[in-house]
Amino acid sequence: MSNAIELEHNADLLHRKYLEERDKRLRAEGRDQYIGVEDRYAKYAEDPYVAPGFTRDSVVEDTDVLVVGGGFSGLLTANALLKEGIGNFRIIEKAGDFGGTWYWNRYPDCRCDVESYIYLPLIEDFGDMPKEKYARSSAIFEHAKKIGRELKLYDRTYFQTGVTKVQWDDVAGRWIVETDRNDIIRARFVCLGSGPLHRPKLPGILGIEKFKGHSFHTSRWDYEYTGGDETGNMTGLRDKRVAVIGTGATGVQCIPPLAKSAQHLYVVQRTPAAVDARNNRPTDPHWWDSLRPGWWERRAANFDGFLAGIPQAEDLVADGWTTIWAKFAEAARTSQDTSDDQLTVAQLVDYEKMGDIRARIDSIVEDPEIAEALKPWYNWFCKRPLFHDGYYETFNRKNVTLINTDGRGLDEVTENAIVFDGKSYEVDCLVFASGFEIGASASRIGGFDLLGRKGLTLDQKWQGKRQTLHGMFVRDFPNLGIIAGVKHATTTWNVTYMLRKQAEHFAAVVKYCVTNDISVFDVAERAELSWGKTIAEKSTLNRKFQAECTPGYYNNEGKDPEQSIFGSVYGGGPFEYFKVIEDWMKQGIDQDLEVTKK
Ligand code: NAP
């Protein structure tokens, strides 16, 4: 047996190989290795999609609910508030339109590879059939704008407006919200829907600031420079040598169209992506017409039920996400029958899955050396699973060079080149597909300070330890709801499903207060303590798994797993979490809240 074949069939060897590859990538600086988009790097965060020079008069006003953010969190909160009959609210959004992630990310071939039929949260309400199973960014952006139009949210929203401060006024019983347009808005309730994935980060490469060519981050795509649009055809790159840094979910999607347009493309790889087939296809209109009312909720619950390990009678979505979970579930059943260790059996399924990905690479990439360099050596869920039908094919092109840094990253950037291992590659353009700040403090992600009772900021309150009720409400921060909290709350792989649930929950709490003449609610101390205890007791954080993963934002760059995105998430899974908050609502929320009546 050759070494390669033996490796794929020997769990001990694979385990050792995974650890060796992880070790190459561990950085003592952890998250601090990246550069934030401020000061001299602030241009990487500028909005390229709006005309410069927008001005408007500042306002001083009162509202019942102030919603921070016009992405799906904010839009779904607005939808839920309207359904509860609460119409006096205001949305503040720093971008020029609704959409959040899908406003910013317009890079070529940007798509969501969670199925469009469940990712688009209100398509059943609008009866809009997506064209494809995996929608383009523009189609998702269009859906967000349609929510804005249908719900008449444009008149209630201040765009191109950044919140600068949110402070609780205990005497008035109001939040005082300040913005960078000098607005002052007094709000009874505030909902934070500012999203976790919107602050771009740059790779901390020596000399990056010296580069004199053109450069931009993928979430601020410069079509003026590249030409073309989301379908590619970037004529501005015909005579350009381009380097793309990053091979994560974004890199994998924009690399193929970049390769087709650029004179030459250098792909800088630190950790190889693991990319399964996506099998995108047009929507069958007959199937669409056959859907019965309530289908969205059933389908979304079926998908995330699968991924939460809950047996489902059928697999409605049937794609790369669900099929691997079906295998995990089967392995769990087998382990019960055979009394084998469940984790070991699951690990074997994972080895097989990643072996299939490596075989997929061998079958597509013609040059065996390049194929070898593209192979990922880590577990499937160490990084976000990726699906694409043209990524590996790109490396068969003559105008593409893979710079495999084998976990190290580039050594240097100069005025006109990137440098690795003593070799310099001259480039005209650098594209940073280097991701977003995840896990930073609440004020950094939001871009403003949130001051509650006693003048305490949320960062100060959470210093050392997060304290919440259901991940959504925080003691000393009255009349406040956090949507997309994940920590102390839950997550679903189809994130809009969870956003819908949390938005409905927040709106129900506001409605309860309005109906019952409650002017101020705050979380009782014992309720917060009790939820913290529940989070700790129910924790399913697999520290060993996290620690052995290749570093990335999923495992906090290999540092303290508790700080990873899976740390302090409600361990009972999303469906149990949804039931907990629904039951809590039914039982009457005063039990856990200290309320002041009008
Ligand atoms: P990401 O997953 O964080 O990937 C960042 C990439 O930059 C990684 O390949 C990373 O390498 C690389 N990198 C960072 N510093 C580097 C350095 N010094 N030298 C070389 N390479 C460096 O960011 P993303 O790709 O933008 O994706 C972020 C998230 O957005 C995804 O996980 C997903 O949740 C979402 N998203 C989803 C879709 C979709 O639905 N298909 C598409 C795009 C984005 P290492 O791996 O070695 O750290």
Side-chain angles (χ1 to χ4, degrees), residues 18 43 126 141 218 237 300 304 337 354 360 397 542 571:
Y18 282 18
K43 68 169 183 160
F126 298 157
F141 183 28
T218 46
L237 298 181
D304 264 297
D337 294 346
M354 292 304 281
R360 181 167 188 259
R397 295 179 66 98
N542 187 337

Side-chain angles (χ1 to χ4, degrees), residues 48-49 99-112 136-141 197-200 217-221 223 230 249-251 253 432-433 435-436:
Y49 314 121
T101 296
W102 306 101
Y103 173 90
W104 296 109
N105 287 280
R106 305 182 189 192
Y107 58 81
D109 207 24
C110 179
R111 288 172 189 271
C112 180
R136 278 195 187 281
S137 165
S138 60
I140 307 173
F141 183 28
L197 263 177
H198 72 259
R199 207 182 159 90
H217 188 272
T218 46
S219 66
R220 306 288 189 275
W221 197 270
Y223 282 109
E230 62 172 348
T250 301
Q253 292 187 334
F432 296 115
F436 302 86

Side-chain angles (χ1 to χ4, degrees), residues 25 33-34 102 107 110-114 197 201-205 217-218 245-251 253 268-271 278 383-384 386-387 405 408-410 433-436 438 551-554 557:
R25 290 166 172 79
Q33 67 181 283
Y34 299 104
W102 306 101
Y107 58 81
C110 179
R111 288 172 189 271
C112 180
D113 52 23
V114 170
L197 263 177
K201 64 180 165 46
L202 302 175
I205 305 168
H217 188 272
T218 46
I245 299 179
T247 54
T250 301
Q253 292 187 334
V268 179
Q269 171 184 273
R270 192 166 70 171
T271 306
R278 182 162 56 192
K383 283 186 176 285
R384 187 192 186 275
L386 304 179
F387 305 91
T405 69
R408 195 163 97 205
L410 288 176
S434 42
F436 302 86
I438 296 167
Y553 81 83
Y554 262 29
E557 302 292 338

Side-chain angles (χ1 to χ4, degrees), residues 139-151:
I140 307 173
F141 183 28
E142 195 43 54
H143 183 65
K145 288 191 279 189
K146 180 150 184 185
I147 297 175
R149 286 193 304 273
E150 291 285 319
L151 305 186

Side-chain angles (χ1 to χ4, degrees), residues 148-340:
R149 286 193 304 273
E150 291 285 319
L151 305 186
K152 305 200 172 10
L153 301 179
Y154 278 93
D155 293 343
R156 303 165 192 261
T157 304
Y158 293 134
F159 292 105
Q160 298 192 55
T161 301
V163 172
T164 50
K165 191 175 174 189
V166 179
Q167 182 157 22
W168 177 252
D169 178 340
D170 227 352
V171 178
R174 290 285 183 276
W175 285 102
I176 313 299
V177 179
E178 296 176 23
T179 76
D180 57 9
R181 303 252 169 218
N182 295 321
D183 307 310
I184 296 184
I185 304 170
R186 291 178 293 259
R188 227 176 122 183
F189 302 93
V190 164
C191 168
L192 292 185
S194 34
L197 263 177
H198 72 259
R199 207 182 159 90
K201 64 180 165 46
L202 302 175
I205 305 168
L206 180 72
I208 191 173
E209 75 286 355
K210 293 189 189 136
F211 186 65
K212 290 213 168 119
H214 200 73
S215 62
F216 54 88
H217 188 272
T218 46
S219 66
R220 306 288 189 275
W221 197 270
D222 189 351
Y223 282 109
E224 240 176 69
Y225 176 81
T226 65
D229 56 27
E230 62 172 348
T231 63
N233 193 28
M234 291 173 276
T235 48
L237 298 181
R238 252 186 224 145
D239 58 348
K240 301 287 189 300
R241 297 155 301 178
V242 180
V244 57
I245 299 179
T247 54
T250 301
V252 160
Q253 292 187 334
C254 71
I255 283 166
L258 274 174
K260 284 183 192 144
S261 292
Q263 181 198 85
H264 198 90
L265 181 69
Y266 295 100
V267 177
V268 179
Q269 171 184 273
R270 192 166 70 171
T271 306
V275 188
D276 204 351
R278 182 162 56 192
N279 298 322
N280 197 11
R281 55 180 180 268
T283 305
D284 173 359
H286 297 297
W287 165 78
W288 177 260
D289 288 342
S290 74
L291 294 169
R292 301 271 67 89
W295 68 265
W296 189 93
E297 172 81 33
R298 285 195 295 279
R299 196 172 177 91
N302 178 267
F303 176 82
D304 264 297
F306 242 105
L307 271 62
I310 301 167
Q312 306 290 317
E314 60 178 322
D315 182 358
L316 296 174
V317 172
D319 67 0
W321 292 96
T322 55
T323 45
I324 178 71
W325 280 96
K327 285 190 183 166
F328 281 134
E330 180 55 29
R333 270 192 298 278
T334 314
S335 68
Q336 271 168 6
D337 294 346
T338 57
S339 311
D340 287 339

